[in-house]
Amino acid sequence: MRVTPCLRQNTLSVSAALRERVRRPALLKKIAKPEDLAPLFKNDDYIGWSGFTGVGYPKSVPSAIADHVEAKNLQADPTTKKKFNLFVGASVGPEVEDRWARLDMIARRYPHQVGKDIAKGINAGRIDFADKHLSSECTLDLTYGYYSLHKNHGDPKRPLDWAIVEATAITEDGKIVPGASVGATPEILQSAEKIIVEVNTRIPNLEGLHDINQSFVPPYRQPYLIKHVKDRIGEPAIAVDTDRIVAIIESNKPDNTGPNSPENDESRAIASHLIHFLSEEVSAGRLPKNLLPLQSGIGNVANSIIGGLAEGPFEQVQVWTEVLQGEHISLSWWLGWLTIALLDTFIRFFDSGKLSFATATSIKFSPEGFDHFYAHWSDYKNRLLLRSQQVANSPEIIRRLGVIAMNTPLEVDIYAHANSTNALGSRMLNGLGGSADFLRNAKLSIMHTPSSRPTKTDPTGISCIVPFASHIDQTEHDLDVIVTEQGLADLRGLSPRERAPLIIEKCAHPDYKDSLREYYDRALHECMKRGAGHEPHMLRNAFKFHTNFMEHGTMKVKNWD
């Protein structure tokens, strides 16, 4: 039987800041040091962390566990080596997650990742990873017990041994107030046998920012009674059984978000095409003047779109999305008065007066953006709401609200199948995230990408429009619009044979248009000849762009023979 050692009797002093934040006196008796907790974690433990897109994650205890593993040289001996099963709503800061990966401390990681060292461990076979839509992983599969089917220790009613979560406060009745993300934290807390709470006194108490609802399993699940972006259906904090809280940590470390992807000419051109398209939809009467609630992914294209909307023609826009992110542009070195005006794109969108309300599961601003956000917390708190990812990504709500979904893939093929995760079909880059939750259920499903990307030897060596996607995350059945800096292809109501020429003409880079046209024309001729012309392909050549890149460092094929 596995026995978890007990913490020694608490003799630590409590800071005034922590005493103000932890309003349930009994929990102040559970104050602990991270280094005292580190030895309690055992090999094969199932651990859940709070956090989403590098925000709101625990920092002190995971770092202390890594310190302990390094100091004791535990990974050098198979009898002392520790590898954990790690569950987080999405990605967290590289100083904890990537460090665990470098130390080979992660056996399994679900459901999403973006870290370089995590991806390296996955592709080397050291870390078992499976992509899941973020509306269904921790929020459903974890509470269903699917991820603990092979767990043979601990409380069989609790899928996780540990939950380590960050909070900005604990209320009088023991409820946990998250920080700038919610993610899967409610479900992780619900599923854990033991809970450690890191109360971050560096950032403000964000009480009132959140709308938290309880998870139920079938047949007891309830509908989400949300008809408007502003609607609340839950509580402002997460209810937990305080008897399962074994330790309280005071933390004062910031989220390690770093700079977001900067805009460039390509991303601004994509944004221009897209805003023009949305304007035409309004003129045609298919969208209201303030559009419908927007979902925007991450990256420089998303930044350009949000920046364009802040300067665009639409008023009283609302956002229903997964992550509010932004790129910091500081011009303080030559026009100091513009420093605040050109902060993160979503802050600019708020400050323009054109964004009336936004709901998400996480806020990912640059460090400068967060400084501004926290300093002006009172200006934003009534225009913003954070929910759990099971609600933010709920297909039910996305369909009801008629969300306009916009996300970036790695590649799109000529029939509008999209690959968002695996380069060359095999190498994991990052998890799927919640893009498919939105794209499958939105009123308008849009994917935007540069038409090409550079290689080491060719500035346009990778075509993002390919004959056949080497891995498919989003299917042709889910996507309505493809847009690159070259143009926009409106695919609504079109058959596959109508889609392919349009995508090639509107979206492919000029260096690849002739090659793609020849591929399609030859495939059409061959398939029609044998009575198989619905979605023509030459299977012998379908991945020739990719194999040519692997052999020659470019996707520019000489011929299709």
Side-chain angles (χ1 to χ4, degrees):
M1 184 177 75
R2 292 161 57 98
V3 178
T4 300
C6 296
L7 289 170
R8 62 184 180 222
Q9 186 174 2
N10 175 29
T11 58
L12 298 177
S13 60
V14 180
S15 73
L18 186 61
R19 192 178 297 277
E20 180 182 350
R21 297 293 185 91
V22 180
R23 305 200 300 266
R24 189 174 179 91
L27 292 179
L28 293 173
K29 298 177 182 178
K30 299 183 179 183
I31 304 300
K33 293 182 178 180
E35 57 268 29
D36 292 335
L37 300 175
L40 306 183
F41 292 82
K42 297 181 177 298
N43 182 55
D44 198 39
D45 272 353
Y46 284 59
I47 304 172
W49 290 352
S50 63
F52 200 99
T53 57
V55 176
Y57 59 95
K59 304 160 184 72
S60 299
V61 174
S63 295
I65 297 170
D67 291 343
H68 173 73
V69 166
E70 275 195 306
K72 300 293 184 181
N73 198 27
L74 298 180
Q75 305 304 74
D77 184 345
T79 64
T80 62
K81 188 170 185 175
K82 292 188 177 185
K83 294 191 74 170
F84 305 112
N85 305 285
L86 183 59
F87 302 84
V88 192
S91 58
V92 299
E95 79 278 17
V96 290
E97 184 173 32
D98 271 1
R99 186 182 178 197
W100 275 35
R102 288 193 299 272
L103 292 172
D104 198 20
M105 292 170 57
I106 303 175
R108 293 181 180 274
R109 174 69 170 89
Y110 296 125
H112 178 70
Q113 57 76 35
V114 297
K116 291 183 179 179
D117 290 294
I118 289 278
K120 186 176 181 180
I122 291 167
N123 289 308
R126 297 190 302 272
I127 299 173
D128 287 319
F129 173 76
D131 252 343
K132 292 286 287 188
H133 304 301
L134 292 190
S135 65
S136 64
E137 192 272 342
C138 283
T139 55
L140 296 179
D141 290 358
L142 181 59
T143 54
Y144 290 167
Y146 292 171
Y147 287 99
S148 54
L149 290 174
H150 305 290
K151 179 173 174 277
N152 55 14
H153 63 266
D155 185 346
K157 296 181 180 180
R158 301 288 180 186
L160 299 176
D161 298 300
W162 298 90
I164 312 173
V165 302
E166 183 174 86
T168 59
I170 301 177
T171 66
E172 291 84 354
D173 53 357
K175 293 179 179 177
I176 293 174
V177 179
S181 75
V182 178
T185 303
E187 291 73 32
I188 285 170
L189 288 166
Q190 178 181 332
S191 301
E193 186 176 345
K194 299 174 288 291
I195 297 169
I196 297 171
V197 183
E198 293 190 8
V199 180
N200 194 327
T201 56
R202 181 190 182 97
I203 62 178
N205 176 1
L206 299 184
E207 200 164 353
L209 177 63
H210 313 94
D211 185 50
I212 308 296
N213 59 290
Q214 184 178 353
S215 291
F216 297 95
V217 298
Y220 306 107
R221 287 182 64 82
Q222 301 293 316
Y224 299 128
L225 301 179
I226 293 175
K227 295 188 292 182
H228 306 284
V229 170
K230 296 181 180 181
D231 288 351
R232 285 181 175 265
I233 60 171
E235 302 292 332
I238 306 170
V240 298
D241 174 7
T242 56
D243 289 341
R244 290 189 286 122
I245 297 178
V246 299
I248 303 291
I249 304 293
E250 181 173 8
S251 170
N252 62 359
K253 298 178 180 179
D255 289 314
N256 186 9
T257 54
N260 288 309
S261 302
E263 299 179 47
N264 57 29
D265 291 341
E266 284 183 342
S267 69
R268 284 186 282 268
I270 292 170
S272 177
H273 293 314
L274 189 50
I275 291 171
H276 177 71
F277 168 77
L278 294 174
S279 298
E280 289 189 329
E281 289 296 291
V282 171
S283 298
R286 288 186 289 268
L287 288 176
K289 291 182 179 180
N290 65 336
L291 305 178
L292 288 166
L294 302 175
Q295 179 265 334
S296 179
I298 59 175
N300 64 342
V301 176
N303 281 330
S304 290
I305 291 168
I306 299 305
L309 289 167
E311 301 167 2
F314 311 112
E315 303 287 344
Q316 295 298 301
V317 176
Q318 295 188 328
V319 166
W320 181 282
T321 193
E322 187 178 78
V323 183
L324 299 178
Q325 71 140 23
E327 168 218 4
H328 175 76
I329 310 173
S330 177
L331 301 183
S332 57
W333 59 280
W334 67 285
L335 280 177
W337 63 275
L338 281 179
T339 302
I340 297 302
L342 291 183
L343 274 168
D344 293 48
T345 45
F346 258 108
I347 292 179
R348 289 160 53 198
F349 201 7
F350 272 121
D351 291 350
S352 72
K354 295 185 177 182
L355 175 57
S356 66
F357 199 89
T359 189
T361 195
S362 178
I363 303 167
K364 187 191 178 191
F365 294 149
S366 65
E368 298 88 349
F370 267 125
D371 288 344
H372 174 79
F373 177 74
Y374 292 142
H376 298 80
W377 164 235
S378 60
D379 296 334
Y380 299 111
K381 66 179 182 179
N382 294 322
R383 303 164 64 192
L384 178 62
L385 194 59
L386 295 186
R387 310 174 189 270
S388 67
Q389 67 192 61
Q390 69 158 318
V391 177
N393 290 44
S394 167
E396 170 194 346
I397 301 171
I398 293 166
R399 288 193 180 192
R400 183 180 301 127
L401 297 180
V403 168
I404 299 170
M406 302 173 286
N407 292 275
T408 303
L410 297 178
E411 61 185 4
V412 180
D413 70 27
I414 59 175
Y415 298 109
H417 300 95
N419 172 14
S420 296
T421 57
N422 286 270
L424 299 173
S426 301
R427 183 167 67 90
M428 170 59 63
L429 291 184
N430 50 256
L432 175 62
S435 60
D437 292 324
F438 285 91
L439 292 167
R440 186 74 183 272
N441 298 288
K443 180 177 180 181
L444 271 175
S445 298
I446 300 165
M447 296 212 86
H448 42 59
T449 177
S451 64
S452 68
R453 292 187 174 95
T455 66
K456 293 179 180 178
T457 58
D458 186 342
T460 58
I462 295 174
S463 176
C464 297
I465 307 298
V466 296
F468 205 163
S470 60
H471 173 88
I472 295 176
D473 292 300
Q474 292 89 14
T475 75
E476 61 180 316
H477 313 294
D478 301 330
L479 304 185
D480 299 315
V481 174
I482 307 298
V483 55
T484 72
E485 82 285 355
Q486 301 295 321
L488 182 146
D490 183 353
L491 309 176
R492 293 173 296 177
L494 301 184
S495 70
R497 292 200 309 272
E498 292 171 315
R499 285 181 168 214
L502 185 64
I503 291 173
I504 294 169
E505 180 62 31
K506 295 289 188 179
C507 299
H509 191 279
D511 289 354
Y512 292 94
K513 282 187 178 182
D514 287 344
S515 183
L516 288 166
R517 288 191 193 105
E518 183 182 357
Y519 174 88
Y520 175 72
D521 289 342
R522 291 182 61 171
L524 178 63
H525 174 76
E526 292 182 9
C527 291
M528 292 295 285
K529 189 175 181 180
R530 68 173 192 268
H534 173 63
E535 195 162 298
H537 270 300
M538 295 185 290
L539 290 183
R540 67 187 182 279
N541 288 326
F543 298 115
K544 194 168 183 179
F545 271 25
H546 303 88
T547 56
N548 198 78
F549 170 76
M550 294 172 71
E551 294 169 4
H552 304 293
T554 181
M555 288 188 171
K556 293 169 183 171
V557 300
K558 293 181 179 179
N559 57 66
W560 291 108
D561 295 323

